[in-house]
């Protein structure tokens, strides 16, 4: 099921990209996105009570517009996941997972030439590059606090909405929110293991700037 969702996302992007009605002159943008993971959570089953946490999310973006309402986008991001817990005694446990991730994005847009709304959908893969945890609770720490991360590779599907303002000389500025649902698990979920599910989940918000590489100033003319 999880692999099926991942493959369907790839098929969706490819089918959109092969549609008709392309621009005569495509648009190419390169820039950066910077933001935070407003809510990071690991979907443990059995459930583990977790605290609210905010972590970094950002990277570089390349977008290629090939149709009036559709484009494709690739990113290389440094993003933080993981979870936090708080004991009845006030002790805090935090496990931070830093990933390099590569999303492949379908960019569906509508609006005026200068102000646009858009929807992002797609899959992503990521590799764990840093794993840091604080000291487990002094009393009754859960197994998730003492267990080592067992999978450094993760993959997920995500969806997001955003707004973008395009200027004639400075490029495009955007604000976006996404929900990311992991299809992999950070711990083994085989029969007889401690968890039957342990997937990364997050809500991220980002602001960014994209430079118009092809400098299509005529695009803004009425």
């Amino acid at each position: 099921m999880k692999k099926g969702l991942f493959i369907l996302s790839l098929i969706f992007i490819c089918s959109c990209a092969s549609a008709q009605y392309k621009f005569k002159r495509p648009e190419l943008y390169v820039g950066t996105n910077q933001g935070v993971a407003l809510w990071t959570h690991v979907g443990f089953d059995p459930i583990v009570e977790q605290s609210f946490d905010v972590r970094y999310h950002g990277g570089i973006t390349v977008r290629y517009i090939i149709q009036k309402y559709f484009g494709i986008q690739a990113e290389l991001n440094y993003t933080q996941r993981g979870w936090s817990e708080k004991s009845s005694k006030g002790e805090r446990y935090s496990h931070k997972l830093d990933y390099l991730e590569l999303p492949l994005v379908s960019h569906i847009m509508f609006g005026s030439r200068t102000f646009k709304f858009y929807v992002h959908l797609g899959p992503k893969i990521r590799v764990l590059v840093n794993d840091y945890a604080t000291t487990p609770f002094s009393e009754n720490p859960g197994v998730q606090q003492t267990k080592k991360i067992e999978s450094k590779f993760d993959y997920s599907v995500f969806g997001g909405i955003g707004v973008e303002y395009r200027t004639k000389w400075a490029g495009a500025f955007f604000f976006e929110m996404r929900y990311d649902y992991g299809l992999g698990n950070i711990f083994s979920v085989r029969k007889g293991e401690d968890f039957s599910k342990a997937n990364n989940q997050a809500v991220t918000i980002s602001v960014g700037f994209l430079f118009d590489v092809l400098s299509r100033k005529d695009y803004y003319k009425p």
Side-chain angles (χ1 to χ4, degrees), residues 12-13 16 29 63-73 104-110 116-121 162 164 166 174 176 178 210:
F12 173 77
I13 291 174
C16 289
Y29 294 89
R63 182 189 297 166
Y64 185 56
I65 305 296
I66 53 178
Q67 299 173 6
K68 187 175 182 180
Y69 301 108
F70 179 80
I72 54 176
Q73 180 170 304
L104 180 60
V105 188
S106 61
H107 180 76
I108 305 164
M109 57 190 168
F110 52 94
K116 293 184 179 294
F117 296 91
Y118 62 83
V119 176
H120 278 168
L121 299 168
E164 179 176 296
R166 297 184 179 185
F174 66 86
E176 179 179 340
R178 292 180 181 176
L210 296 174

Side-chain angles (χ1 to χ4, degrees), residues 10-89:
L10 288 172
I11 293 174
F12 173 77
I13 291 174
C14 293
S15 63
C16 289
S18 63
Q20 300 295 322
Y21 310 112
K22 293 184 178 180
F23 276 120
K24 291 182 180 179
R25 283 191 280 175
E27 300 171 59
L28 177 63
Y29 294 89
V30 177
T32 182
N33 68 89
Q34 298 294 321
V36 295
L38 270 181
W39 175 77
T40 59
H41 180 86
V42 175
F44 290 116
D45 187 7
I47 294 173
V48 172
E49 187 174 345
Q50 299 171 48
S51 304
F52 177 80
D53 213 349
V54 177
R55 300 183 178 185
Y56 172 75
H57 173 87
I60 58 175
T61 300
V62 178
R63 182 189 297 166
Y64 185 56
I65 305 296
I66 53 178
Q67 299 173 6
K68 187 175 182 180
Y69 301 108
F70 179 80
I72 54 176
Q73 180 170 304
E75 300 169 5
L76 179 61
N77 297 325
Y78 189 88
T79 187
Q80 296 180 330
R81 295 290 188 269
W83 76 100
S84 296
E85 303 175 51
K86 190 174 181 179
S87 72
S88 58
K89 288 187 172 183

Side-chain angles (χ1 to χ4, degrees), residues 2 42-46 147 150-151 155 183-200:
K2 293 179 179 179
V42 175
F44 290 116
D45 187 7
K147 197 177 182 73
E150 296 173 312
S151 178
Y155 59 107
L183 302 178
N185 294 282
I186 61 174
F187 297 136
S188 173
V189 293
R190 298 173 187 168
K191 187 175 181 180
E193 295 286 356
D194 298 300
F195 296 100
S196 60
K197 187 179 73 168
N199 65 321
N200 282 308

Side-chain angles (χ1 to χ4, degrees), residues 147-192:
K147 197 177 182 73
K148 290 186 177 180
I149 301 301
E150 296 173 312
S151 178
K152 292 189 175 182
F153 177 79
D154 196 17
Y155 59 107
S156 64
V157 291
F158 68 93
I161 56 174
V163 293
E164 179 176 296
Y165 178 69
R166 297 184 179 185
T167 66
K168 186 174 181 179
W169 302 107
F173 299 87
F174 66 86
F175 172 82
E176 179 179 340
M177 176 177 287
R178 292 180 181 176
Y179 173 67
D180 184 284
Y181 184 84
L183 302 178
N185 294 282
I186 61 174
F187 297 136
S188 173
V189 293
R190 298 173 187 168
K191 187 175 181 180

